Amino acid sequence: MPRPLPRDPMVRQLITQARAAQLSRRNLLAGAGIGAATLGLAACAPPAAAELTPATDASESEKTLIWANWPAYLDEDDAGDSPTLARFEEQSGIAVDYRVDVDDNNSYYAKVRDQLAAGRDIGADTVCLTEWMVARLVRLGYVQELDRAAMPNTRNLISSLAEPDFDPGRTRSMPWQGGFAGIAWNTEEIEKLESVSDLWAPELKGRVGVLSEMRDTIGLILLEQGVDISAEFSADEFKAAIDELKSHVASGQLRTVKGNSYLDDLNNGDTLAAICWSGDITAANLEAGYEKFKFVIPSAGGTIWNDTFVVPMGSTHKANAEALIDYYYDPEVAAEVAAWVNYITPVEGAVDSEWVKANDPELAENQLIFPNEETLSTVKAFRTLSPEEEQAYGTEFQSVLLGA
């Protein structure tokens, strides 16, 4: 069943109103179509690491901060304001300019890459991007080292996220929210699906959608083929997954290869099943008022991803950004955000917070927001690719998108 809203009537009303108007955190990720230029950028090999110097930090004298993020990725009240952000501003004295500027990792990178490469201001003191892109920024030397001592709450980072291969010890990045990619279906038309292979059933021909995010769609197919996406895999194994996807595009089995606009196809019945993101299905069911769609992690495993804070080299308000990050690692604050955005909080202790107990006790049982070890054992993070792999694999996946 979909997660119940908080028992307090006023809290319930505010959340319902806000969610009814929400776009997904990934709603714009090809909702209007990913342009060929952006796809081309995804396939380009990144440049070599730069030797950059962090901008002078003016945080002590300038109590301001620009935060760039994805759509509907922060709690909102019925006026469109964020209660948690308002409290941070009041407590810290830092005025935050919160900007919904990220609609896709590649398109955002395309807008700011020249400034990043030169160590100049990109128009944001901190930004949340998906970890495969964050890995690129870290490798290229485009982001500042964080002062973890100034962020004591970050000790609440869950242990499974503490040592990523691209940033051991989390010295240059801190997770914001995460989620799963799995499969979902229309419960009014389909009784049950268990595996990615179930999407290829003849009776679903022309009624299936998959994501235009390579690491999720190809990641699930690789897992179905017995490949561990978190470990080293070969170019031949990757190509086998690409070939399978191509075959289903060519046969007409797949109706769409899209970003989050796949939800439109599910909602209007054009597709009956899809590879999808967990939080989107939770939000869709909340809007529908019942479990219209069922989301599961496939039997062979699902993917897990995180969107992550970084402070670009050109930021002149690093300490202010660190104060913001530290604030959102308070379990009480993290729980309130998680209840609104419906994605996985990276903060240990949020599940046991007083906020959850007072507002939504059943939230603690939602495995798509507070997954336990058993659930986490069924998913894999797509490993960080080398620059050469990024270029080669991006080109191969691009050929599928352009042909779909």
Side-chain angles (χ1 to χ4, degrees):
M1 294 182 63
R3 179 174 61 78
L5 292 174
R7 295 173 180 174
D8 185 297
M10 293 189 67
V11 175
R12 183 189 296 263
Q13 181 181 13
L14 289 175
I15 292 180
T16 300
Q17 290 172 346
R19 281 179 175 151
Q22 274 189 344
L23 290 170
S24 163
R25 154 252 185 268
R26 293 177 176 234
N27 249 359
L28 301 179
L29 179 75
I34 298 177
T38 300
L39 288 172
L41 174 65
C44 290
E51 293 291 338
L52 301 174
T53 301
T56 301
D57 192 358
S59 294
E60 188 171 346
S61 59
E62 298 177 4
K63 296 300 180 182
T64 61
L65 174 69
I66 299 174
W67 177 12
N69 209 346
W70 300 77
Y73 221 15
L74 190 63
D75 56 299
E76 293 182 6
D77 59 20
D78 57 348
D81 300 318
S82 166
T84 63
L85 191 57
R87 290 199 299 271
F88 170 76
E89 292 180 306
E90 182 179 357
Q91 293 171 17
S92 67
I94 298 170
V96 180
D97 182 356
Y98 184 78
R99 300 181 179 179
V100 181
D101 281 351
V102 183
D103 59 1
D104 169 64
N105 287 289
N106 280 309
S107 63
Y108 186 81
Y109 179 68
K111 289 188 294 186
V112 302
R113 60 175 173 168
D114 290 342
Q115 297 97 309
L116 284 169
R120 299 197 305 266
D121 178 18
I122 69 166
D125 294 298
T126 187
V127 60
C128 298
L129 297 171
T130 309
E131 290 208 324
W132 65 265
M133 179 59 77
V134 169
R136 178 188 295 182
L137 302 187
V138 170
R139 175 173 52 78
L140 294 175
Y142 289 171
V143 296
Q144 298 191 40
E145 184 172 354
L146 301 174
D147 182 1
R148 291 291 297 273
M151 302 185 290
N153 281 334
T154 61
R155 66 179 180 274
N156 295 322
L157 175 65
I158 61 175
S159 59
S160 62
L161 298 176
E163 296 289 339
D165 58 1
F166 63 87
D167 186 22
R170 288 289 183 185
T171 62
R172 296 181 184 272
S173 65
M174 289 299 298
W176 165 241
Q177 303 289 316
F180 300 128
I183 56 176
W185 63 91
N186 186 323
T187 60
E188 296 171 344
E189 302 288 341
I190 300 172
E191 182 176 350
K192 185 178 183 181
L193 299 177
E194 295 182 347
S195 69
V196 172
S197 296
D198 290 342
L199 297 175
W200 318 142
E203 58 269 26
L204 292 179
K205 185 172 183 177
R207 311 295 296 278
V208 177
V210 299
L211 296 168
S212 58
E213 178 63 56
M214 180 187 77
R215 287 159 179 81
D216 291 325
T217 291
I218 296 299
L220 290 186
I221 293 174
L222 282 167
L223 288 167
E224 181 79 358
Q225 294 177 345
V227 178
D228 183 353
I229 61 173
S230 66
E232 291 297 321
F233 53 80
S234 69
D236 287 342
E237 288 173 320
F238 184 87
K239 186 176 186 305
I242 286 286
D243 288 344
E244 177 161 348
L245 181 61
K246 281 184 177 179
S247 72
H248 296 304
V249 169
S251 71
Q253 183 71 23
L254 295 180
R255 181 182 182 89
T256 60
V257 182
K258 291 185 176 181
N260 208 83
S261 55
Y262 75 87
L263 279 177
D264 295 334
D265 297 314
L266 279 173
N267 281 319
N268 65 28
D270 284 344
T271 59
L272 300 180
I275 289 176
C276 60
W277 291 303
S278 55
D280 292 342
I281 301 305
T282 301
N285 284 334
L286 283 166
E287 186 172 349
Y290 67 103
E291 192 176 44
K292 182 177 180 179
F293 306 105
K294 177 70 174 178
F295 173 91
V296 299
I297 295 169
S299 54
T303 63
I304 185 171
W305 47 264
N306 279 280
D307 293 325
T308 297
F309 284 108
V310 290
V311 177
M313 278 291 185
S315 167
T316 57
H317 302 100
K318 173 175 172 283
N320 292 344
E322 290 168 340
L324 177 83
I325 296 169
D326 185 65
Y327 169 79
Y328 278 103
Y329 268 77
D330 181 316
E332 297 294 331
V333 179
E336 186 172 352
V337 172
W340 283 76
V341 302
N342 295 305
Y343 282 104
I344 303 170
T345 175
V347 180
E348 189 78 44
V351 66
D352 299 316
S353 67
E354 292 302 318
W355 194 97
V356 169
K357 293 175 184 176
N359 292 283
D360 197 352
E362 295 186 40
L363 180 67
E365 304 303 318
N366 189 324
Q367 291 300 296
L368 302 184
I369 297 176
F370 296 116
N372 57 28
E373 289 302 317
E374 181 180 357
T375 298
L376 291 173
S377 71
T378 66
V379 297
K380 297 282 188 179
F382 201 104
R383 69 169 172 83
T384 302
L385 299 176
S386 69
E388 295 75 20
E389 289 173 325
E390 276 196 32
Q391 182 179 23
Y393 296 168
T395 298
E396 291 186 61
F397 189 67
Q398 177 186 348
S399 70
V400 179
L401 295 186
L402 294 177

